[in-house]
């Protein structure tokens, strides 16, 4: 069945008038009559009894009209009604605690959408966005494919933090506090420190450094102005950047407009 023919029938049946259906569809009355006739031929059933004065629905026509009205309501809910399902967000643990929390506060002062936030590593985030597990992910990788694309939000500035002055040429002499075995301290020093603490929490890393436990490399946005630390910029380490990744939408969905409006501010 051609949906145009179904629409022509539905409007004719709703108003019991070919002319009224033609006015709504902005086509000729003869075109409406022709479309309904083609629908009847495709179904092999007479839906409307025509007369010079009025339109009468057959019993099958009445049943089919009721089904069309139900279908019309369903399609309205799917395509036109605002999507109010929970927004599924995937994010790196460090980004959630140091950057996204303030974004959430600003978001909920303006919008009222339920949200499901899941912490994951880079590979899991990548798989999740392509498999439909997430609507949106935030990470330090630029994912580009036929299915997804990433938008660079801002650059991270990496800094070396310590309680006391540090000799940059002898970083291996200090205790390292790192996030993982891929931490930037390993890239910064040719020799590895024999004393290493691995902590999967940037806030805990900063706290340990503030208390003189060791040194660390962290994004500058995790630090507070009140932190009593010695901070050294590291130009030799390339900033990974922070990216927002979504499916390749032709038309930007409402949830994406909302998130971007908050982030841009």
């Amino acid at each position: 069945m051609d949906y145009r023919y179904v629409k022509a029938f539905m409007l004719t049946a709703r108003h019991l008038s070919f002319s009224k259906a033609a006015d709504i569809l902005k086509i000729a009355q003869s075109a409406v009559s022709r479309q309904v006739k083609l629908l009847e031929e495709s179904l092999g059933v007479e839906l409307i009894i025509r007369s010079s004065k009025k339109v009468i629905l057959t019993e099958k026509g009445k049943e089919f009209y009721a089904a069309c009205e139900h279908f019309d309501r369903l399609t309205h809910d799917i395509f036109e009604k605002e999507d109010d399902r929970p927004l599924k967000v995937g994010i790196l643990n460090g980004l959630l605690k140091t950057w996204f929390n303030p974004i959430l506060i600003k978001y909920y002062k303006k919008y009222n959408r339920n949200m499901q936030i899941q912490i994951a590593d880079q590979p899991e985030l990548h798989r999740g966005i392509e498999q439909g597990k997430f609507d949106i992910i935030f990470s330090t990788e630029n994912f580009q494919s036929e299915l997804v694309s990433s938008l660079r939000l801002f650059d991270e500035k990496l800094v070396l933090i310590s309680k006391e002055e540090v000799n940059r040429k002898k970083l291996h002499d200090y205790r390292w506090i790192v996030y993982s075995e891929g931490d930037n301290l390993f890239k910064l020093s040719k020799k590895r420190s024999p004393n290493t603490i691995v902590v999967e929490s940037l806030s805990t890393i900063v706290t340990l450094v503030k208390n003189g436990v060791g040194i660390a490399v962290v994004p500058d946005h995790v630090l507070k102005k009140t932190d009593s630390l010695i901070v050294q910029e590291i130009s030799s380490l390339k900033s990974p950047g922070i990216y927002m990744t979504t499916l390749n939408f032709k038309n930007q969905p409402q949830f994406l407009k909302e998130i971007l409006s908050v982030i841009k501010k």
Side-chain angles (χ1 to χ4, degrees), residues 86-217:
L87 181 63
K88 295 174 290 186
V89 177
I91 192 168
L92 295 173
N93 184 43
L95 280 180
L96 175 63
K97 292 182 178 180
T98 63
W99 171 72
F100 197 61
N101 279 343
I103 297 294
L104 275 177
I105 294 170
K106 294 177 184 177
Y107 180 88
Y108 280 109
K109 287 183 177 179
K110 188 173 182 180
Y111 302 106
N112 186 32
R113 184 186 294 273
N114 292 336
M115 198 176 294
Q116 297 174 353
I117 302 173
Q118 181 177 333
I119 295 172
D121 59 15
Q122 300 273 25
E124 188 178 355
L125 290 174
H126 194 181
R127 288 193 302 271
I129 191 68
E130 290 197 328
Q131 294 172 0
K133 183 178 179 181
F134 302 118
D135 296 306
I136 187 170
I137 63 172
F138 297 98
S139 69
T140 57
E141 285 195 27
N142 182 3
F143 299 122
Q144 301 290 343
S145 70
E146 292 182 354
L147 293 174
V148 303
S149 59
S150 299
L151 172 67
R152 193 182 187 98
L153 299 177
F154 64 92
D155 290 330
E156 280 190 321
K157 183 187 293 183
L158 298 173
V159 293
L160 176 68
I161 59 173
S162 59
K163 182 68 174 177
E164 306 292 341
E165 288 288 346
V166 170
N167 185 341
R168 291 278 292 273
K169 295 181 180 180
K170 295 184 177 181
L171 293 179
H172 57 277
D173 289 341
Y174 304 90
R175 181 184 287 111
W176 291 1
I177 308 172
V178 298
Y179 191 83
S180 67
E181 287 297 322
D183 194 273
N184 285 289
L185 261 175
F186 296 104
K187 303 173 185 177
L188 194 61
S189 177
K190 293 180 180 179
K191 292 180 66 176
R192 178 170 179 158
S193 170
N195 302 310
T196 305
I197 303 173
V198 180
V199 185
E200 293 186 352
S201 168
L202 287 173
S203 59
T204 301
I205 288 175
V206 173
T207 299
L208 290 173
V209 175
K210 285 168 63 175
N211 285 275
V213 176
I215 64 172
V217 172

Side-chain angles (χ1 to χ4, degrees), residues 5 7-8 15 35-36 38 65 70 86 103 105 120 192 215 228 244 254:
Y5 303 166
K7 190 73 173 178
H15 300 284
Q35 288 177 356
V36 173
L38 289 171
Y65 171 63
H70 178 65
I103 297 294
I105 294 170
R192 178 170 179 158
I215 64 172
S228 180
M244 179 183 71
Q254 185 62 29

